[in-house]
Amino acid sequence: MRLLLIHSDHIEYEARKKTKLAEEAAVMQDMLDEALTVFCAVESADEENMDDAVRQAVAEIRSTAGQLNVANIMIYPYAHLSSDLASPEAAVGALKGIEEALAADEGLTVKRAPFGWYKAFTLSCKGHPLSELSRTIVPGAAETAAKKEIEH
Amino acid sequence: MRLLLIHSDHIEYEARKKTKLAEEAAVMQDMLDEALTVFCAVESADEENMDDAVRQAVAEIRSTAGQLNVANIMIYPYAHLSSDLASPEAAVGALKGIEEALAADEGLTVKRAPFGWYKAFTLSCKGHPLSELSRTIVPGAAETAAKKEIEH
Ligand SMILES: [Mg+2]
């Protein structure tokens, strides 16, 4: 799983048009201020142990939100972060799993943009050194395989 | 080279803090409306034939801008699109090469965000089916290796 975490003054989206993979019964338009936006690509390797991939993703997001003192989290599916994607069914399951686990935390507000829709969005990134972080999660690994802070 | 092309109502950035790779003598703050924002990660494989990688990237950007009828282009370095980056010196050279080639086009306005700075940014994506495209460029290959339109 690939995550790109952006400490955001503002994130908003509006679902505009279905792809053939469109998730039904999702929230078509929403926004958050002072949020951690989590762009997420669920990968085929995650399907070997999706529970662990979700567990690691939740731990990473929770840790980053704590470090940044952020209470609002927007989960945003983003296929472009990987060239080896999971099946759409597996991806939606993982994204919902991440959402539900975080939403159970006291004090966190969690929203999730729908999978499989063309979406308009507006995003503001704060620009401090920890405001853009990427993570690569490998299920079954003891720790996140790669951590990288943006340097350019 | 990895490109993520976003058809944008608006893109603006402000360089906030240097990393140890910071490019000097760059434009610290700028914006464009009705633009193609080109997030770009120059990869180590590009160093085998940087002229060709730049040539292919310019062709892709020019083609996409034409298809979308966009006259404004923002080149934006984005390390998070790849886990196998080129050297900073090679990356800056490639980004400048892309900028200069496109700027020579009649009717295109081209700006480039600085490499190696922590930057605040605000981006609006239009959300139509061609408003988010990713490209993987392999130097020496006859054509772009992989084209992918976002599906979720
Ligand atoms: Mg020009």
Side-chain angles (χ1 to χ4, degrees), chain A residues 53-151:
Chain A
V54 167
R55 186 193 59 72
Q56 288 190 57
V58 168
E60 281 291 337
I61 297 165
R62 190 179 277 147
S63 160
T64 304
Q67 192 176 14
L68 298 172
N69 198 26
V70 164
N72 299 319
I73 294 174
M74 177 70 79
I75 311 289
Y76 200 105
Y78 215 70
H80 290 309
L81 295 179
S82 176
S83 53
D84 188 15
L85 296 170
S87 72
E89 297 74 19
V92 171
L95 294 162
K96 287 182 178 174
I98 293 168
E99 178 191 16
E100 286 163 18
L102 291 169
D105 284 20
E106 284 290 327
L108 283 187
T109 297
V110 184
K111 298 184 174 184
R112 184 174 61 81
F115 181 97
W117 291 74
Y118 297 111
K119 293 181 287 291
F121 69 85
T122 297
L123 170 72
S124 294
C125 169
K126 288 179 178 282
H128 62 73
L130 295 175
S131 64
E132 294 180 70
L133 302 167
S134 59
R135 300 286 184 257
T136 301
I137 283 166
V138 179
E143 293 185 277
T144 300
K147 295 195 180 192
K148 189 175 66 164
E149 294 179 11
I150 196 169
E151 301 233 307

Side-chain angles (χ1 to χ4, degrees), chain B residues 71 102-110:
Chain B
L102 291 169
D105 285 20
E106 285 289 327
L108 283 187
T109 297
V110 185

Side-chain angles (χ1 to χ4, degrees), chain A residues 2 16 19-20 78-80 82 115-116 119-127 132 134 148 150-152, chain B residues 2 16 19-20 78-80 82 115-116 118-127 132 134 148 150-152:
Chain A
R2 295 266 301 153
R16 287 283 172 83
T19 72
K20 60 182 182 292
Y78 215 70
H80 290 309
S82 176
F115 181 97
K119 293 181 287 291
F121 69 85
T122 297
L123 170 72
S124 294
C125 169
K126 288 179 178 282
E132 294 180 70
S134 59
K148 189 175 66 164
I150 196 169
E151 301 233 307
H152 59 278
Chain B
R2 295 266 303 155
R16 288 281 171 84
T19 73
K20 61 182 183 289
Y78 215 69
H80 290 308
S82 176
F115 180 98
Y118 298 111
K119 294 181 287 290
F121 70 84
T122 298
L123 170 73
S124 295
C125 169
K126 286 177 178 283
E132 293 179 73
S134 59
K148 188 174 66 163
I150 196 168
E151 300 234 306
H152 60 279

